[in-house]
Amino acid sequence: MYEVIQSLHSYWAYLVLVILIIAVVNAVAKSVGGKEYSAKDFRISLFTLIVSHIQLLIGLILYFVSPRLALFGELGMGGVMKDAVNRLYLVEHPMVNIIAVALITIGYSKHKKKLTSAPKLKTIAIFYTIALVLFLSRIPWNAWLS
């Protein structure tokens, strides 16, 4: 079961990154270009929100069925924090990605309250870009690309 969830989490991450990059590029390009916010922009930002939340749920399930979770009991928090790989998988990756999904959620919620195109696009561009940078910073690249 763990391997299936891990594969799903890994493959779904590609979708999240592609959609998030599309949302960021779209919002930045339209914001810089002075274009109007449209229904397409709303759908892109909503789809980004949905796929990132699904990834978060898959990740939380993976976290709690992971054999690595037992390392907290064996090594304690100090032991986990001393090992870079365990720290990445058990602390950094989950926490930073939860923050990134929270930023996507906040950006989506804030942009809906704006009344004109420029602030809507700017809000999406800022929050989604920060989330993208956070996601990219904590991906376990060695394991993910192999």
Side-chain angles (χ1 to χ4, degrees):
M1 180 169 141
Y2 172 75
E3 291 80 17
V4 172
I5 296 170
Q6 186 179 29
S7 292
L8 180 61
H9 185 66
S10 293
Y11 287 114
W12 196 264
Y14 288 111
L15 177 64
V16 172
L17 285 178
V18 168
I19 299 300
L20 185 54
I21 289 168
I22 290 169
V24 166
V25 169
N26 179 63
V28 169
K30 282 194 155 188
S31 186
V32 169
K35 305 233 172 158
E36 291 295 314
Y37 181 83
S38 67
K40 182 187 114 193
D41 303 317
F42 178 79
R43 285 191 294 272
I44 290 171
S45 60
L46 176 62
F47 193 60
T48 304
L49 176 81
I50 292 168
V51 297
S52 66
H53 277 91
I54 291 170
Q55 177 71 346
L56 175 63
L57 290 174
I58 296 167
L60 288 173
I61 292 167
L62 179 64
Y63 186 80
F64 288 109
V65 300
S66 171
R68 287 185 190 268
L69 193 59
L71 292 174
F72 278 122
E74 294 170 18
L75 305 173
M77 185 59 131
V80 168
M81 295 301 283
K82 287 178 186 173
D83 181 4
V85 173
N86 289 331
R87 184 177 62 239
L88 174 65
Y89 282 106
L90 292 172
V91 180
E92 293 172 356
H93 179 78
M95 296 311 299
V96 170
N97 289 336
I98 289 169
I99 293 167
V101 172
L103 286 170
I104 290 171
T105 306
I106 293 166
Y108 180 79
S109 297
K110 285 180 147 307
H111 106 279
K112 288 193 323 182
K113 296 176 184 170
K114 307 293 182 190
L115 301 176
T116 57
S117 291
K120 282 181 175 286
L121 292 166
K122 184 178 176 184
T123 302
I124 289 292
I126 291 170
F127 280 90
Y128 282 34
T129 300
I130 295 169
L132 177 61
V133 169
L134 289 175
F135 278 138
L136 292 174
S137 75
R138 292 299 113 202
I139 290 174
W141 292 103
N142 293 338
W144 199 45
L145 296 175
S146 60

